[in-house]
Amino acid sequence: MSTQPQYPDAQGHFGPYGGRYVPETLMAPLEDLEQAYRDARRDPDFQRELDDLLHNYAGRPTPLYEARRLSEELGGARLFFKREDLLHTGAHKINNCLGQALLARRMGKRRVIAETGAGQHGVATATVCALFGMDCTVYMGEEDMRRQRLNVFRMRLLGTKVVGVANGSRTLKDAISEAMRDWVTNVHDTHYLLGSALGAHPYPMMVRDFHRCMGDEARAQMLERTGRLPDAVFACVGGGSNAIGIFTAFVPEPGVALVGVEAGGRGHALGEHAARFEGGSPGVLHGAYSYLLQDGEGQVSLTHSVSAGLDYALIGPEHAWLHDEKRAEYVSITDREALEAAKTLARTEGLIPALESAHGVAEALRRAPEAKGQIFLINLSGRGDKDTDIYRENLPELDNPDGK
Amino acid sequence: MESSQRIGRRFAHCRFQKRPALVAYLTAGDPSPGLTPELALALERGGADVLELGVPFSDPIADGPVIQRASDRALHAGATVARVLEIASRIRERSEMPILLFSYMNPLLRYGFDRLGEEAARRGIDGVLLTDLSVEEAEEPVRQLRAHGLDTVFLAAPTSTERRLKLVAEYSSGFVYVVSRTGVTGEQDSVQAGVGPLVERIRSLTDLPVAVGFGVSRAEHVQAIGAYADGAVVGSALMRVVEEHGAAPDLPARLEAFTRALTTPSGGPDR
């Protein structure tokens, strides 16, 4: 069942996308990282230790939950949620962090750095560094620190140093730039624990592989529960780690539609959203060639999304390839639609999704009424506790229900 | 098309004079596109041999804070690839100093390498260096730029393996740019001792001139590098002068004096 994906090629290309666009200083370290990763993957001891941690520490496998009440209310497709929100630290991010931390230890790197947008990857990185006794620094845009105060505090509680980034839009893009500057400076003893399916090869491949357990589990669970594969799989796409993680097992199944959901933000103008396939064109950012939101001069555009984790100008290169090959379809959901979907899911199923995940949920909810007889699989990639402040800001009618 | 040879000839000339070439970096458009040609000529009067003309990019991952801020100011002031090409024309009308465009992949990719090669050559630009273009991804851009007679300069780093150094030497023309240390651009107190052996390793692979940059900011650094390399690159120290005196009417004179001090063996600039 777990067929190994054919991509990327030896140079890290998914069709024309991906590759390695970084300063020469990082090229040999990326080659070393790729070699160490390929060795580790062949080493049964590495896999055994990772599996043990995923099971006993993080909580895998996660359940596949059929949302009967919501499905009935919509009167169409049967909706199944892959419950990554139940994992330790509250999102899928921990899968990749455990894998890369084991790899960093194997490579003898004592220091770990990471970027974070919503703070979920930062918290997951801080968590595994605490677990392995590694020194950890997380870069985070100041705007995101404001939006995700709770996660900033969680990281500090876990013993991590959180460095605010005041450049540019002060969001994920600027945090990655700053993390790359740290890495190029301290590469001899530091592992860059990149948190999405982005960046220079081998990161998009490695991050996908550490997350493909989501799709592998869901595929088996779905067959066991319904006797067949889903008709469509939905996942939000920022860099694209949770989407590629759940898609990979289904890519070879032509009958399964793959739907990636980008952040439509608050409007169609450049700077108001993070919908790379609608408003972008191929370009290079942070080491990879992929669809990029940029102006006519090749300068990277600012982006907006109510969800910090989707607020990024480049989509992971494998998604660009799946898009061009028409193997996956990419749509966008606005801030408002995502908030409404979160409200619906909370009220009908008692599940408060992360704002990122709410984008994937929203597209499934939109299509479900017209899809009688179909089965939808939705990646509930994270839980919404971290977003409570943003939900309060954006859903004032609930904060003061009596209008007092 | 044949290379303009301006870069190679200038290095040969400096070698004949038994001194290191001074490669001076300037972010085009900071503080304004109109002023950049004046500043470039001031660098030349101060003793710069080669001009590295920075095409600003919104996300300069290889640059430290000084050049990041210079890039922001230049973008705000309206520096685009087309404007930078115009700036180069203005400089070329008044000087034979070799000009190397220094940038990141995306703005030039967006402009198109074939179109860039043609227009850059027509305007008297001599070469291109892209900090985030690895040799692995360079085949097509190098072919298109070389077709118009432009040199392509690549970086060699302290982390580069023997196999990589060979590729860097193979893809480079004009000169090879050696990064003195792991890190981003920015002034340092001293130049790392390991760079001399790295320069020697490259010399065993190519006859091209070798220049050393990243962290080079003082006359004593330029002098020390001159003992083993053909040139020294100064960037952030110059852009700091632009940043601190951007609004001053005598900015060109200040930049000229600072550059002259860099090439004056004893004493050195007062910073």
Side-chain angles (χ1 to χ4, degrees), chain A residues 232-235 237 247 257-262 277 319 322-323 326-331 363 366-367:
Chain A
V233 182
F234 297 85
V237 188
F247 285 176
L258 305 175
V259 184
V261 184
E262 299 185 280
F277 289 120
H319 289 292
L322 291 172
H323 170 269
K326 300 193 167 28
R327 179 60 195 95
E329 173 193 356
Y330 294 84
V331 297
E363 181 63 15
R366 204 178 63 71
R367 294 187 188 195

Side-chain angles (χ1 to χ4, degrees), chain A residues 13 19-25 27-28 31 167 173 180-181 184-185 281 283-284 292 294 296-300, chain B residues 56-61 63 68 75 80-81 106-107 110 131-132 134 136-137 155 157 159-160 163-164 182-184:
Chain A
H13 294 120
R20 275 185 185 144
Y21 295 88
V22 293
E24 173 61 22
T25 304
M27 287 300 290
E31 289 171 0
N167 303 336
K173 168 176 88 92
M180 287 182 81
R181 292 185 186 112
V184 80
T185 307
S281 55
V284 171
L292 173 67
Q294 56 182 324
E297 298 296 332
Q299 306 298 338
V300 178
Chain B
F57 178 48
S58 52
D59 296 83
I61 53 160
D63 284 301
Q68 287 176 44
L75 288 171
T80 60
V81 174
N106 204 55
R110 181 79 180 182
T131 51
D132 60 346
S134 63
E136 277 79 354
E137 306 289 351
L155 302 173
T159 51
S160 301
R163 184 184 71 79
R164 300 203 55 81
T182 61
V184 293

Side-chain angles (χ1 to χ4, degrees), chain A residues 94-223:
Chain A
I94 191 95
N95 301 325
N96 170 53
C97 289
L98 284 169
Q100 284 199 46
L102 280 177
L103 192 60
R105 195 184 64 187
R106 190 182 166 97
M107 292 177 77
K109 309 275 185 182
R110 296 185 321 269
R111 181 172 177 264
V112 165
I113 58 169
E115 81 296 339
T116 196
Q120 288 307 97
H121 175 58
V123 167
T125 304
T127 298
V128 299
C129 287
L131 179 64
F132 290 127
M134 287 168 161
D135 181 62
C136 182
T137 300
V138 171
Y139 291 92
M140 189 168 188
E142 287 186 347
E143 170 63 13
D144 290 339
M145 286 177 78
R146 186 190 65 78
R147 288 194 278 191
Q148 302 286 353
R149 270 175 302 204
L150 189 60
N151 274 343
V152 174
F153 183 77
R154 287 167 81 196
M155 287 185 268
R156 290 183 176 146
L157 186 61
L158 291 158
T160 280
K161 184 175 160 199
V162 182
V163 179
V165 180
N167 303 336
S169 54
R170 299 177 296 140
T171 60
L172 182 57
K173 168 176 88 92
D174 312 287
I176 296 179
S177 291
E178 214 48 36
M180 287 182 81
R181 292 185 186 112
D182 180 318
W183 198 37
V184 80
T185 307
N186 300 301
V187 67
H188 57 283
D189 72 346
T190 297
H191 175 67
Y192 180 13
L193 208 165
L194 184 57
S196 197
L198 297 168
H201 180 58
Y203 282 104
M205 169 181 80
M206 183 168 73
V207 173
R208 172 195 69 198
D209 294 352
F210 284 137
H211 280 308
R212 66 166 297 166
C213 49
M214 294 187 272
D216 289 337
E217 284 174 14
R219 187 180 184 283
Q221 289 166 324
M222 193 63 94
L223 286 173

Side-chain angles (χ1 to χ4, degrees), chain B residues 7-96:
Chain B
I7 293 173
R9 284 204 302 259
R10 184 63 64 109
F11 273 99
H13 174 73
C14 294
R15 195 179 284 182
F16 179 74
Q17 292 188 333
K18 298 196 184 337
R19 63 175 180 88
L22 179 66
V23 181
Y25 168 90
L26 198 59
T27 303
D30 178 29
S32 69
L35 203 54
T36 301
E38 271 320 308
L39 300 183
L41 295 169
L43 293 175
E44 187 180 31
R45 284 195 301 275
D49 294 290
V50 176
L51 176 67
E52 264 186 21
L53 193 58
V55 181
F57 178 48
S58 52
D59 296 83
I61 53 160
D63 284 301
V66 173
I67 293 179
Q68 287 176 44
R69 290 195 299 265
S71 302
D72 280 348
R73 290 192 300 269
L75 288 171
H76 263 99
T80 60
V81 174
R83 286 295 278 285
V84 177
L85 292 172
E86 280 169 34
I87 288 169
S89 290
R90 299 285 89 78
I91 298 168
R92 183 55 74 232
E93 283 163 10
R94 296 160 68 187
S95 163
E96 274 302 301

Side-chain angles (χ1 to χ4, degrees), chain B residues 155-176:
Chain B
L155 302 173
T159 51
S160 301
T161 56
E162 213 56 28
R163 184 184 71 79
R164 300 203 55 81
L165 289 181
K166 274 186 198 146
L167 288 168
V168 166
E170 192 183 309
Y171 277 81
S172 293
S173 65
F175 67 98
V176 177

Side-chain angles (χ1 to χ4, degrees), chain A residues 79-82 232-235 246 357 360-361 364 376-380:
Chain A
L79 306 182
F80 287 79
F81 288 91
K82 182 62 174 161
V233 182
F234 297 85
I246 200 157
S357 319
V361 174
F376 285 1
L377 168 63
I378 302 143
N379 199 4
L380 193 57

